[in-house]
Structures are given as structure tokens and as C-alpha cells.
Amino acid sequence: MKIGKIYDISMELSGQTPEWPGDIPFQYELAATIEQSGSVNVGKVVTSTHIGTHVDAPFHYDDDGIKISELPLDCYLTTAQVADVRGKTEITGSDLPAVEKGVTAILLKTDTWKDRTKFPETWPLFDPSIAEWMTENGIKLLGVDVPSVDTEHSKDLPMHMAMNRHNRFILEGIVLDEVPAGVYQLAALPLKIKGADGSPVRAVLYT
């Protein structure tokens, strides 16, 4: 398979990556060095499952929801359409474009997370009608370039719950700054963590 241009749409994970307020910050350190071990460097990672660019499993917001290792992988290895929704404070199903043939993921470019070293103070409101629009258009995965499909202080999580009712899936924290609207191939596979509610991913778009 010949691959053309690749867009890395993942946030870098480091001590500068902002965690959700009150969550576990990302930490990486060498647990053993070549000098200590005599042969290799060995790293240690401490992190939340919802930091940077990550996938939510339904178990994250539903005790009976499926977990990360049970997710359908075709949702994260598919054809995706980037939709430019910049300038909108609320995004509904009616704001989304006509779906191109073969597309099963929609990625929303809001361009509202300007400084990725700081947790954003606000981001657009995603209306639950998006989940219904996805179902009507055969879209399985929603990607957003902000920390969550719901607001920071929401407790009832209307967008997450709408996605769950319609059996749709969520990818959060993608970076679309340099990506024009259009159709691409997407690879954003979660780690196979048994029992987990989420997973960081290395997400890329390519042509």
C-alpha cells in the first residue's frame, strides 16, 4: 500500500501536557538506564487514560458499557472526513457537511484549543443531535480537537449519553491545526488494556 501525505493529529505526551483538572498528570522517567542495567534503558509511564489524544470507551460513562479491549477496531482504522466548524460556539447536526462516499468517521475542526500546554477555559458546545446525524449518515466515530465532547463541568454528560444511545464512539483531543477539510484515511487504535475506560492513541490521517 502506497501512502502519500501523513498528518500526525496526536498531542505530544510530556510533563507539559495538560491533564483534565484534578486528574493524573502525565509522567515519564527512566526506571533503569543502560549504565544501571548493563544493556538497555527502560522507561516508566504514569498517566490517566484520558490525557492528550485519547479514545473513550462507553464504560467511561456507563457502568454497563463496553471497555477499551472490546471496542470495534474498524471504527479507528477507517475513512474519515474533516469538517471545518471554526467560529461556532454551538455545533449541531445541521452544521455538519454532506458525507462523502465511504466515510465512517467525522472529525470536527473547531480550532479553539490554541495552547496545548494549558487546559482550555472553554470550547464549543456539541449538541446531542450530532449523534442522531451520525446514525442517519452511517458515521460510527466522532473526533473533536478539544478535551471532551461535553463541557468541563457537565455531570449529566448529554453528548456522551447520546453517543451511547446511538452506539457511536468518541475520539478526543485530536490536533487538526494543519489539516484542511476533506477525506482521509484514519488510524487511531487504542491500546488493548483489559477492563479500561479509555486509552491514549497515536492518531494519524493519511492519503
Side-chain angles (χ1 to χ4, degrees):
M1 180 179 68
K2 185 177 180 180
I3 295 178
K5 186 172 180 59
I6 298 175
Y7 292 95
D8 185 350
I9 61 168
S10 311
M11 290 178 63
E12 183 178 72
L13 294 178
S14 73
Q16 299 299 309
T17 307
E19 70 276 10
W20 191 274
D23 205 351
I24 302 166
F26 180 86
Q27 299 176 44
Y28 169 81
E29 62 182 32
L30 283 177
T33 65
I34 291 175
E35 182 179 5
Q36 292 169 331
S37 69
S39 57
V40 292
N41 292 313
V42 179
K44 172 186 175 182
V45 172
V46 177
T47 188
S48 165
T49 53
H50 295 272
I51 199 163
T53 306
H54 66 278
V55 162
D56 282 358
F59 178 62
H60 178 47
Y61 41 90
D62 178 1
D63 281 337
D64 296 320
I66 62 174
K67 300 176 175 69
I68 278 289
S69 60
E70 302 165 331
L71 290 173
L73 296 183
D74 61 336
C75 289
Y76 310 96
L77 196 63
T78 189
T79 303
Q81 185 169 341
V82 174
D84 190 335
V85 291
R86 289 178 291 180
K88 297 182 180 295
T89 57
E90 181 175 359
I91 300 162
T92 70
S94 62
D95 294 312
L96 303 183
V99 176
E100 299 288 341
K101 185 178 179 180
V103 167
T104 63
I106 189 82
L107 310 182
L108 303 185
K109 182 175 182 175
T110 72
D111 199 26
T112 54
W113 195 350
K114 299 294 187 181
D115 184 351
R116 295 276 174 157
T117 66
K118 297 179 181 178
F119 193 84
E121 294 182 0
T122 186
W123 55 85
L125 178 69
F126 300 102
D127 188 88
S129 63
I130 292 173
E132 184 175 350
W133 176 91
M134 291 173 65
T135 304
E136 292 171 351
N137 287 276
I139 303 297
K140 298 178 181 179
L141 178 69
L142 173 67
V144 295
D145 60 356
V146 293
S148 176
V149 296
D150 279 302
T151 61
E152 178 184 349
H153 300 291
S154 175
K155 296 300 182 184
D156 54 356
L157 303 175
M159 187 60 188
H160 282 85
M161 295 307 175
M163 295 287 282
N164 203 26
R165 286 194 303 273
H166 288 273
N167 196 32
R168 307 295 105 174
F169 300 97
I170 300 169
L171 171 64
E172 297 169 327
I174 55 178
V175 182
L176 298 174
D177 302 2
E178 306 300 324
V179 183
V183 176
Y184 305 85
Q185 295 305 302
L186 169 70
L189 294 170
L191 298 176
K192 194 173 183 179
I193 309 172
K194 184 176 180 179
D197 59 302
S199 171
V201 301
R202 181 67 178 269
V204 298
L205 294 174
Y206 59 95
T207 57

